[in-house]
Structure formats: structure tokens, C-alpha cells
Amino acid sequence: MSFVSYSQNFEDVMLWRALKHIENGFYIDVGANDPSIESVTKAFYEKGWKGINIEPLASHYSDLKSERERDVNLQCAAGEEDGVIDIWEADVRGWATASKEVIDRHEAKGHAGKWLKVPVRRLSDICEEFVQGDIHFLKIDVEGLEKSVIKGMDFSTYRPWILLVEATAPNSKEEVHADWESLIVNADYTFAYADGLNRYYVSNNHLDLLEALRYPPNVFDDFIRSEQINSELRAQQAEQKALQTEQKALQAEQQALQAEQKALQAEQKALQAEQKALRAGQTALQAEVALQAVLDSRSWKLTQPLRTVMSCGLWFIQGSKAWLTFAPGSRPRRIVQSVLLHLKLYVSLHPRLKRFALKCLAPFPSLQARIKTLGLQEVIQPHSSDLFTIEGPENLSFRGRQIYHDLKIAIEKRLKEQA
């Protein structure tokens, strides 16, 4: 996997080339600034290293505490003596400084800032409090106050393997290392490499590292800038967002198609219902035509007497049931009995009808027994004046009154013919 570089001028690439064989190493970053942006130590922290971050500005210190939990984060400045110093916080990130010369230069270009009082500690005192083993590299970037930091370090006691010091005046190519380089060389360090912004020094106890710092960052270092990763990530996110948008559009199109299909299905169902209703209407019309054809047919007219007999028989059965429910000698019972007697007389006066009735009653002995229980075997006098003395024919049903009058007319006609 490629090494991810976060630093401004590939400082972390050079340091990693020399120190990548160290597992869980230790660093000191004086002027740490942001925990990620242009950070020399971010890549090392991600690979399991830890160290001390010295940062006087509150905003950067807060971010360091949040993102660098394994590190010792100190809100102070490093200098030659302990005390308090006035620091000018510029309107550009990374330009904070206590150098009056640097401040005048920034203000001459129209930049503004504010003054802050921050504590100052000697770097050797900080090491005495927090360092317990080797310091694999020490990075110093304090915007013009590098010499003060170097003077506050005891290199005889604490020996960083590699020193990385910003060696130009702030925001310029002007080299200023001559002002403090002798302090480092006299502390048994050997110059190894300059990148146009920084100078690298190797402890004489670890001169084997000089070869690793011989050449600038190159293709063999197999590294990639964090900005490139972020750009690729943003491009990938944009591509994913575009894909999601396309998928949403496709889903919307599918939903529209489904809605259209549902509408078509509903339309088809409505058409089927309309066709079904039309067929039902046609069936009803055909049934009506068929019924009228039956009513107009010769067979229907020829079977009219048979249907009349069947109706009379049904009426007779119903009447006999009603007669049996009435008390003997009661007025309703006499009315029913009179109607039944007239019905019997009507049948007896029509021999062909009588034969047909006897033939129909033959398979029903129980019905014959019921007729006998009604007392209809008694001889009726043809000229009996009681024949038409049924009480209250108006109390009969519509069908009963119709049968009653039909019987009356038939009997009168028969009596006239016999006379």
C-alpha cells in the first residue's frame, strides 16, 4: 500500500524512508499546528507512532487533543527560558509568530492579527517530564524563532536521531540557517539534506541514516499525497451520488411504468365488467324472450288444465291442513269444509277430471287418508240448498274466493243441464 503524505514539502516521506524500520516510534513536533493539514507527524501517528505536540494557539491545540489521543499535547511555546511570551496570531493559518521582524513583514502586506500571551517552556524540561526512551525525530517550525527553541534543548541528554528544522525566513526562500546551524553541528549532528524549506541533520550516533536522506522524494518511495486521496474520494463520492441519482431516476421510471400498468389493468377490469354486464343484459333479454315464447306456445296452453288441477290440489292440501287445525263445529272449519265439498263436487261433475285426480292420488295413500278424515265421503244432495251456504266467502283468500266462484258457476251449470 502506498505511503500517504500529509506534509507541506514531503517531509514525512523523507523521514519515513529513513525510519520506516522503527515500530511504534516517538517524535516531538514543535509548532505542530493542525493535526492533519500539512502535518509532518500525521502519517506516523496513523502507523502507530506517538509523541509530543507543542502548539500555543488554542484552536489547533483543541484539535490536537481531539484527534491525537495517544500524544502528549501541550498548549505553550518552546523557547530558551521558561516564562511568558506575546505571540501574534495572523489571519492566515500557520503564520503565528513572536518575531517582530516577521510580524512587520506580514502587516506591510496588509495582513492582520491579534496578540496573545502564552507560556514558554524549555524543550529540555518538556523532555525530562515526558520522554522515557529514544526520540526518533524532532521537528521545529516556529516562524523565525527556531534559534530560541534550539537553545532551550539539551542535546547532550536527549539525542533525537534526526533533526528537521525550517531553514528559511517565513514565506520566503531566504536562507536563515546560518544563524543557528552551528548550535546543532556542535552538538554532534551532521547535515544530511535540504529541500529548499527545511534542513535535515542526523545524530552522529546514527550516521547509517545519512544514506536514506541522500535523495529527494521520488518514485521509489511509493507515496501519494493526501490531497490526491481526498480528490479521488470526492470524485468517487460524486460518482456514487450520480449513480444514486441515476438509480433513483430509474426507480421513478419503474414506478411510473408500474402505475401505468396498474391503470391499464384497472381499465381492462372495467372493460371486463362492462362486457359482463352486457352479457347479463343479453341473457336477461334472451330469458324474457324465451319466457314469452313459452307462454305463447301451444304446449303451455294445452297444459293449462293440468296446472289448474295442480293448483287446486295444492290449495286442497293447504285447506285440509287449515281445517284440521280448527276446532270441530267452529265457523272457520265449516267454511273450509264447505269449500272442500264444493271442490269435490266440481271434480265429481267432470268425469275426465275425476279420473285424472284419482290417478294422481293413487301413489299417495297418505293424502287419500287425509281426504277421508275430512269427512268428504258423505253423500251430497245435488239440489241441496246448503250447497252454496258457505259462511263468509269474503273471509277467504283471493285465490279461495276465485275457486269458490268458479265452483259455484260450474255446479249451477251442471244442475241446469241435469234438469
mmCIF file of all heavy atoms in Angstrom, residues 17-18 26 50 73 78 101 104 127 145 149 171 176 181 197 204 229 253 261 267 279 284 312-313 366 373 392 407 411:
data_model
loop_
_atom_site.group_PDB
_atom_site.id
_atom_site.type_symbol
_atom_site.label_atom_id
_atom_site.label_comp_id
_atom_site.label_asym_id
_atom_site.label_seq_id
_atom_site.Cartn_x
_atom_site.Cartn_y
_atom_site.Cartn_z
ATOM 1 N N ARG A 17 11.225 7.209 4.915
ATOM 2 C CA ARG A 17 12.232 6.438 4.199
ATOM 3 C C ARG A 17 13.366 6.036 5.149
ATOM 4 O O ARG A 17 13.897 4.927 5.091
ATOM 5 C CB ARG A 17 12.796 7.239 3.031
ATOM 6 C CG ARG A 17 13.767 6.441 2.153
ATOM 7 C CD ARG A 17 14.622 7.379 1.331
ATOM 8 N NE ARG A 17 13.817 8.161 0.379
ATOM 9 C CZ ARG A 17 14.288 9.221 -0.263
ATOM 10 N NH1 ARG A 17 15.530 9.652 -0.026
ATOM 11 N NH2 ARG A 17 13.535 9.891 -1.113
ATOM 12 N N ALA A 18 13.751 6.979 6.041
ATOM 13 C CA ALA A 18 14.852 6.709 6.959
ATOM 14 C C ALA A 18 14.443 5.901 8.179
ATOM 15 O O ALA A 18 15.260 5.140 8.733
ATOM 16 C CB ALA A 18 15.477 8.031 7.403
ATOM 17 N N PHE A 26 8.783 7.369 18.266
ATOM 18 C CA PHE A 26 8.430 8.534 19.081
ATOM 19 C C PHE A 26 8.956 9.802 18.403
ATOM 20 O O PHE A 26 10.083 9.831 17.897
ATOM 21 C CB PHE A 26 9.054 8.393 20.474
ATOM 22 C CG PHE A 26 8.558 9.388 21.475
ATOM 23 C CD1 PHE A 26 7.427 9.150 22.228
ATOM 24 C CD2 PHE A 26 9.236 10.599 21.670
ATOM 25 C CE1 PHE A 26 6.979 10.083 23.154
ATOM 26 C CE2 PHE A 26 8.791 11.531 22.586
ATOM 27 C CZ PHE A 26 7.654 11.270 23.334
ATOM 28 N N LYS A 50 3.686 7.684 18.344
ATOM 29 C CA LYS A 50 3.138 8.703 19.247
ATOM 30 C C LYS A 50 4.243 9.692 19.582
ATOM 31 O O LYS A 50 5.421 9.470 19.233
ATOM 32 C CB LYS A 50 2.575 8.070 20.511
ATOM 33 C CG LYS A 50 3.619 7.363 21.359
ATOM 34 C CD LYS A 50 2.975 6.728 22.586
ATOM 35 C CE LYS A 50 4.034 5.992 23.424
ATOM 36 N NZ LYS A 50 3.438 5.368 24.634
ATOM 37 N N ASN A 73 -0.146 16.519 24.305
ATOM 38 C CA ASN A 73 -0.438 17.787 23.637
ATOM 39 C C ASN A 73 -0.294 18.928 24.638
ATOM 40 O O ASN A 73 -0.966 18.941 25.680
ATOM 41 C CB ASN A 73 -1.865 17.756 23.052
ATOM 42 C CG ASN A 73 -2.039 16.639 22.035
ATOM 43 O OD1 ASN A 73 -1.437 16.666 20.977
ATOM 44 N ND2 ASN A 73 -2.867 15.643 22.369
ATOM 45 N N ALA A 78 7.815 26.844 22.888
ATOM 46 C CA ALA A 78 9.131 26.355 23.341
ATOM 47 C C ALA A 78 10.149 27.479 23.131
ATOM 48 O O ALA A 78 10.142 28.147 22.087
ATOM 49 C CB ALA A 78 9.534 25.113 22.566
ATOM 50 N N GLU A 101 10.138 41.147 13.478
ATOM 51 C CA GLU A 101 10.512 41.352 12.081
ATOM 52 C C GLU A 101 9.520 40.680 11.147
ATOM 53 O O GLU A 101 9.091 41.262 10.142
ATOM 54 C CB GLU A 101 11.915 40.802 11.842
ATOM 55 C CG GLU A 101 12.413 40.974 10.417
ATOM 56 C CD GLU A 101 13.784 40.371 10.223
ATOM 57 O OE1 GLU A 101 14.404 39.941 11.229
ATOM 58 O OE2 GLU A 101 14.252 40.305 9.071
ATOM 59 N N ASP A 104 6.087 42.571 11.225
ATOM 60 C CA ASP A 104 6.125 43.797 10.420
ATOM 61 C C ASP A 104 6.001 43.472 8.938
ATOM 62 O O ASP A 104 5.320 44.194 8.186
ATOM 63 C CB ASP A 104 7.433 44.547 10.690
ATOM 64 C CG ASP A 104 7.480 45.122 12.102
ATOM 65 O OD1 ASP A 104 6.397 45.236 12.722
ATOM 66 O OD2 ASP A 104 8.591 45.429 12.588
ATOM 67 N N CYS A 127 11.142 17.441 27.732
ATOM 68 C CA CYS A 127 11.665 16.089 27.519
ATOM 69 C C CYS A 127 11.865 15.368 28.847
ATOM 70 O O CYS A 127 11.578 14.178 28.974
ATOM 71 C CB CYS A 127 12.992 16.158 26.762
ATOM 72 S SG CYS A 127 12.835 16.680 25.038
ATOM 73 N N LEU A 145 11.630 31.743 15.140
ATOM 74 C CA LEU A 145 12.167 31.605 16.496
ATOM 75 C C LEU A 145 12.872 30.262 16.697
ATOM 76 O O LEU A 145 12.979 29.769 17.828
ATOM 77 C CB LEU A 145 11.043 31.765 17.525
ATOM 78 C CG LEU A 145 10.385 33.152 17.575
ATOM 79 C CD1 LEU A 145 9.294 33.170 18.629
ATOM 80 C CD2 LEU A 145 11.427 34.234 17.879
ATOM 81 N N VAL A 149 14.368 27.988 20.272
ATOM 82 C CA VAL A 149 13.966 26.622 20.619
ATOM 83 C C VAL A 149 15.207 25.742 20.761
ATOM 84 O O VAL A 149 15.328 24.935 21.710
ATOM 85 C CB VAL A 149 13.009 26.043 19.554
ATOM 86 C CG1 VAL A 149 12.693 24.589 19.857
ATOM 87 C CG2 VAL A 149 11.732 26.862 19.487
ATOM 88 N N ASN A 171 7.698 32.450 4.774
ATOM 89 C CA ASN A 171 7.089 32.739 3.473
ATOM 90 C C ASN A 171 8.084 33.323 2.470
ATOM 91 O O ASN A 171 7.737 34.213 1.691
ATOM 92 C CB ASN A 171 5.895 33.687 3.636
ATOM 93 C CG ASN A 171 4.853 33.150 4.603
ATOM 94 O OD1 ASN A 171 4.390 32.032 4.448
ATOM 95 N ND2 ASN A 171 4.530 33.934 5.608
ATOM 96 N N VAL A 176 18.109 31.131 6.410
ATOM 97 C CA VAL A 176 18.482 31.753 7.694
ATOM 98 C C VAL A 176 19.180 30.744 8.614
ATOM 99 O O VAL A 176 19.404 31.042 9.801
ATOM 100 C CB VAL A 176 17.231 32.328 8.387
ATOM 101 C CG1 VAL A 176 16.644 33.466 7.577
ATOM 102 C CG2 VAL A 176 16.198 31.248 8.622
ATOM 103 N N GLU A 181 22.718 27.011 12.823
ATOM 104 C CA GLU A 181 23.205 25.684 12.432
ATOM 105 C C GLU A 181 24.406 25.229 13.274
ATOM 106 O O GLU A 181 24.538 24.041 13.601
ATOM 107 C CB GLU A 181 23.567 25.669 10.951
ATOM 108 C CG GLU A 181 23.954 24.269 10.449
ATOM 109 C CD GLU A 181 24.168 24.246 8.948
ATOM 110 O OE1 GLU A 181 24.906 25.102 8.433
ATOM 111 O OE2 GLU A 181 23.572 23.373 8.288
ATOM 112 N N LEU A 197 13.185 24.265 1.918
ATOM 113 C CA LEU A 197 12.436 24.859 3.024
ATOM 114 C C LEU A 197 13.040 24.438 4.365
ATOM 115 O O LEU A 197 13.153 25.255 5.284
ATOM 116 C CB LEU A 197 10.963 24.438 2.954
ATOM 117 C CG LEU A 197 10.054 24.909 4.081
ATOM 118 C CD1 LEU A 197 9.943 26.436 4.069
ATOM 119 C CD2 LEU A 197 8.672 24.264 3.969
ATOM 120 N N ASN A 204 25.261 11.910 15.145
ATOM 121 C CA ASN A 204 26.475 11.144 14.842
ATOM 122 C C ASN A 204 26.418 9.732 15.408
ATOM 123 O O ASN A 204 27.236 8.883 15.039
ATOM 124 C CB ASN A 204 27.709 11.875 15.386
ATOM 125 C CG ASN A 204 27.984 13.152 14.601
ATOM 126 O OD1 ASN A 204 27.485 13.342 13.487
ATOM 127 N ND2 ASN A 204 28.788 14.056 15.196
ATOM 128 N N ILE A 229 -5.742 11.717 -2.513
ATOM 129 C CA ILE A 229 -6.720 10.760 -1.974
ATOM 130 C C ILE A 229 -8.058 11.450 -1.738
ATOM 131 O O ILE A 229 -9.126 10.919 -2.069
ATOM 132 C CB ILE A 229 -6.200 10.138 -0.666
ATOM 133 C CG1 ILE A 229 -4.992 9.249 -0.957
ATOM 134 C CG2 ILE A 229 -7.298 9.329 0.019
ATOM 135 C CD1 ILE A 229 -4.393 8.618 0.280
ATOM 136 N N GLU A 253 -38.814 5.865 -12.832
ATOM 137 C CA GLU A 253 -39.325 5.426 -14.130
ATOM 138 C C GLU A 253 -40.053 4.087 -14.000
ATOM 139 O O GLU A 253 -41.126 3.891 -14.591
ATOM 140 C CB GLU A 253 -38.155 5.302 -15.110
ATOM 141 C CG GLU A 253 -38.585 4.948 -16.520
ATOM 142 C CD GLU A 253 -37.407 4.904 -17.482
ATOM 143 O OE1 GLU A 253 -36.300 5.301 -17.074
ATOM 144 O OE2 GLU A 253 -37.595 4.460 -18.631
ATOM 145 N N GLN A 261 -49.095 0.408 -15.724
ATOM 146 C CA GLN A 261 -49.596 -0.963 -15.855
ATOM 147 C C GLN A 261 -50.821 -1.178 -14.984
ATOM 148 O O GLN A 261 -51.787 -1.829 -15.399
ATOM 149 C CB GLN A 261 -48.481 -1.947 -15.478
ATOM 150 C CG GLN A 261 -47.337 -1.995 -16.480
ATOM 151 C CD GLN A 261 -46.205 -2.905 -16.033
ATOM 152 O OE1 GLN A 261 -46.120 -3.273 -14.852
ATOM 153 N NE2 GLN A 261 -45.349 -3.276 -16.960
ATOM 154 N N GLU A 267 -58.301 -0.454 -16.221
ATOM 155 C CA GLU A 267 -59.106 -0.199 -17.410
ATOM 156 C C GLU A 267 -59.617 -1.502 -18.014
ATOM 157 O O GLU A 267 -60.781 -1.596 -18.436
ATOM 158 C CB GLU A 267 -58.258 0.571 -18.425
ATOM 159 C CG GLU A 267 -59.033 1.013 -19.662
ATOM 160 C CD GLU A 267 -58.178 1.840 -20.602
ATOM 161 O OE1 GLU A 267 -57.069 2.229 -20.190
ATOM 162 O OE2 GLU A 267 -58.631 2.093 -21.732
ATOM 163 N N ARG A 279 -73.359 -8.925 -21.214
ATOM 164 C CA ARG A 279 -73.780 -10.323 -21.385
ATOM 165 C C ARG A 279 -74.952 -10.651 -20.474
ATOM 166 O O ARG A 279 -75.873 -11.378 -20.869
ATOM 167 C CB ARG A 279 -72.605 -11.253 -21.083
ATOM 168 C CG ARG A 279 -71.510 -11.234 -22.146
ATOM 169 C CD ARG A 279 -70.585 -12.436 -21.991
ATOM 170 N NE ARG A 279 -69.858 -12.409 -20.737
ATOM 171 C CZ ARG A 279 -68.680 -11.832 -20.572
ATOM 172 N NH1 ARG A 279 -68.087 -11.220 -21.590
ATOM 173 N NH2 ARG A 279 -68.082 -11.861 -19.395
ATOM 174 N N ALA A 284 -80.622 -11.792 -19.820
ATOM 175 C CA ALA A 284 -81.946 -11.461 -19.293
ATOM 176 C C ALA A 284 -82.950 -11.253 -20.430
ATOM 177 O O ALA A 284 -84.107 -11.705 -20.362
ATOM 178 C CB ALA A 284 -81.854 -10.209 -18.429
ATOM 179 N N CYS A 312 -105.220 -26.528 -7.707
ATOM 180 C CA CYS A 312 -106.345 -26.921 -6.841
ATOM 181 C C CYS A 312 -105.894 -27.932 -5.813
ATOM 182 O O CYS A 312 -106.273 -27.873 -4.638
ATOM 183 C CB CYS A 312 -107.488 -27.473 -7.693
ATOM 184 S SG CYS A 312 -108.278 -26.232 -8.739
ATOM 185 N N GLY A 313 -105.092 -28.891 -6.288
ATOM 186 C CA GLY A 313 -104.594 -29.901 -5.355
ATOM 187 C C GLY A 313 -103.769 -29.272 -4.251
ATOM 188 O O GLY A 313 -103.897 -29.628 -3.079
ATOM 189 N N SER A 366 -101.351 -41.621 1.808
ATOM 190 C CA SER A 366 -101.494 -40.743 2.979
ATOM 191 C C SER A 366 -102.408 -39.576 2.665
ATOM 192 O O SER A 366 -103.182 -39.129 3.509
ATOM 193 C CB SER A 366 -100.125 -40.229 3.422
ATOM 194 O OG SER A 366 -99.513 -39.516 2.368
ATOM 195 N N THR A 373 -110.368 -38.285 6.270
ATOM 196 C CA THR A 373 -110.524 -37.669 7.604
ATOM 197 C C THR A 373 -111.311 -36.386 7.538
ATOM 198 O O THR A 373 -111.813 -35.922 8.551
ATOM 199 C CB THR A 373 -109.151 -37.383 8.235
ATOM 200 O OG1 THR A 373 -108.437 -36.473 7.397
ATOM 201 C CG2 THR A 373 -108.346 -38.644 8.422
ATOM 202 N N GLY A 392 -119.485 -16.511 4.926
ATOM 203 C CA GLY A 392 -118.378 -15.543 4.764
ATOM 204 C C GLY A 392 -117.351 -15.896 3.719
ATOM 205 O O GLY A 392 -116.180 -16.033 4.060
ATOM 206 N N LEU A 407 -116.336 -22.764 -8.833
ATOM 207 C CA LEU A 407 -117.095 -23.974 -8.472
ATOM 208 C C LEU A 407 -118.612 -23.695 -8.504
ATOM 209 O O LEU A 407 -119.412 -24.508 -8.982
ATOM 210 C CB LEU A 407 -116.673 -24.455 -7.090
ATOM 211 C CG LEU A 407 -115.255 -25.074 -6.983
ATOM 212 C CD1 LEU A 407 -114.920 -25.362 -5.524
ATOM 213 C CD2 LEU A 407 -115.188 -26.356 -7.804
ATOM 214 N N ILE A 411 -121.168 -25.715 -10.872
ATOM 215 C CA ILE A 411 -122.245 -26.549 -10.294
ATOM 216 C C ILE A 411 -123.618 -26.083 -10.811
ATOM 217 O O ILE A 411 -124.490 -26.893 -11.168
ATOM 218 C CB ILE A 411 -122.172 -26.479 -8.775
ATOM 219 C CG1 ILE A 411 -120.877 -27.191 -8.295
ATOM 220 C CG2 ILE A 411 -123.382 -27.125 -8.140
ATOM 221 C CD1 ILE A 411 -120.609 -27.050 -6.823
#
